[in-house]
Amino acid sequence: MNKIVSKEYLSEKVVKFVVEAPRIAKSRRAGHFVICRVGKLGERIPLTIADSDLEKGTITLVVQNVGRSSGKLCALEEGEYITDVVGPLGKATEIKKYGTVVCAGGGVGVAPLYPIVQAMHEAGNRVIVVLAARTKDLIILEKEMRAVSDEVIIMTDDGSYGKQGVVTVGIEEVIKREKVDLCVTIGPAIMMKFVSLLTKKYDVPTFASLNTIMVDGTGMCGACRITVGGQTKFVCVDGPEFDAHQVDFDEMLLRMNAFRDEEQKSIAPQK
């Protein structure tokens, strides 16, 4: 069991936990994730490690309350315990000096993007971050991003903060003014799809971190299978990052919606 050291609400439904996990903190790298479980019969929840503190032996997890299982996790308080935290899992991000790197995050996807931005900046890249959300209140980790990047562009659908428009508007603005050597995108699948379409048009190599359904996190169950370049891949062991221009996002979107009705029924008030 892993103790929750601190809990902070980043927005109404997004919670940041700092959790005791010294072994994971020691070995994790940008792009790695963990599988969490609340209760012995709880559902497994994949969460990217947003940060870690070697001295304190802690990792940072950011959770969006979107269903029954994530709701149980978000309901835990400081001093309580998460039943299981397993990791680090997946393949780490390939960090090296690319040149100019645009990192685009949408919603809670900004959290797993943060360690990548930090690592890319430390590797000597010029890092431009584009953060997008529906409204100002849903922008998270802006201060942290500004501390580890060269520029931060804020996009909101309603224009309540930064510039009005979707994430691709901000990315295209950068591409048109200077040479971009790499784009990294994390967020809703539909957002990553359109980021990929845009960067493909401009021939900008792009990595997408995919948040498809996972169960065991070790590649044995096959629940997170996707098609990349015409081949079947498993997000948990082959990813979570893939060449975005090779990902079949339409297939991924269909699979992610497969159990939507069941999920809604599980969180509906009981009569």
Side-chain angles (χ1 to χ4, degrees):
M1 298 180 75
N2 299 76
K3 185 178 180 179
I4 296 171
V5 176
S6 69
K7 177 183 180 181
E8 176 188 353
Y9 279 89
L10 300 181
S11 65
E12 183 182 0
K13 291 192 174 184
V14 178
V15 180
K16 182 175 79 171
F17 290 107
V18 176
V19 181
E20 286 183 350
R23 290 185 178 180
I24 297 175
K26 184 178 180 180
S27 56
R28 77 96 194 181
R29 292 166 59 195
H32 281 150
F33 67 94
V34 294
I35 295 286
C36 297
R37 190 174 62 154
V38 180
K40 292 183 178 180
L41 299 178
E43 181 182 22
R44 294 168 173 84
I45 307 171
L47 296 169
T48 304
I49 304 168
D51 204 354
S52 65
D53 188 318
L54 282 174
E55 291 185 3
K56 296 180 180 178
T58 61
I59 60 172
T60 299
L61 304 174
V62 176
V63 188
Q64 184 173 18
N65 187 349
V66 294
R68 186 175 181 181
S69 296
S70 56
K72 287 182 178 179
L73 180 53
C74 289
L76 294 176
E77 299 294 343
E78 182 178 317
E80 294 187 300
Y81 291 80
I82 301 174
T83 309
D84 295 307
V85 179
V86 179
L89 300 170
K91 292 184 176 179
T93 305
E94 184 178 356
I95 303 296
K96 63 181 182 180
K97 190 169 182 179
Y98 294 92
T100 296
V101 181
V102 172
C103 296
V108 76
V110 172
L113 189 66
Y114 172 70
I116 296 173
V117 171
Q118 188 176 36
M120 287 291 186
H121 187 70
E122 290 175 353
N125 293 287
R126 168 171 163 75
V127 182
I128 302 170
V129 176
V130 183
L131 305 181
R134 294 193 307 274
T135 188
K136 179 181 179 179
D137 293 340
L138 299 178
I139 294 289
I140 64 172
L141 302 181
E142 178 188 352
K143 180 181 178 181
E144 291 84 350
M145 287 294 195
R146 290 191 184 279
V148 295
S149 63
D150 296 278
E151 181 183 357
V152 174
I153 298 171
I154 306 292
M155 305 297 302
T156 52
D157 292 354
D158 61 5
S160 57
Y161 189 47
K163 301 178 181 181
Q164 184 170 15
V166 294
V167 69
T168 48
V169 174
I171 296 171
E172 190 164 31
E173 174 187 305
V174 177
I175 292 174
K176 285 183 175 181
R177 79 179 190 212
E178 62 185 281
K179 182 178 183 298
V180 174
D181 299 287
L182 178 71
C183 179
V184 181
T185 182
I186 309 179
I190 191 67
M191 183 205 90
M192 293 188 290
K193 173 184 175 179
F194 282 101
V195 169
S196 175
L197 290 172
L198 173 70
T199 57
K200 188 174 184 178
K201 182 176 76 171
Y202 288 101
D203 198 27
V204 176
T206 302
F207 295 150
S209 183
L210 307 185
N211 55 349
T212 51
I213 299 168
M214 293 187 198
V215 178
D216 73 333
T218 65
M220 295 181 68
C221 69
C224 65
R225 63 188 181 278
I226 56 166
T227 300
V228 180
Q231 297 183 333
T232 298
K233 300 288 184 179
F234 299 110
V235 174
C236 63
V237 291
D238 296 319
E241 294 172 12
F242 297 92
D243 179 345
H245 299 160
Q246 298 294 317
V247 174
D248 186 337
F249 281 104
D250 292 332
E251 176 194 60
M252 176 178 163
L253 285 161
L254 285 172
R255 295 198 64 250
M256 290 181 68
N257 290 328
F259 299 101
R260 175 165 291 182
D261 290 344
E262 287 81 356
E263 179 66 24
Q264 291 302 313
K265 288 178 183 178
S266 73
I267 61 176
Q270 298 297 316
K271 295 182 179 179

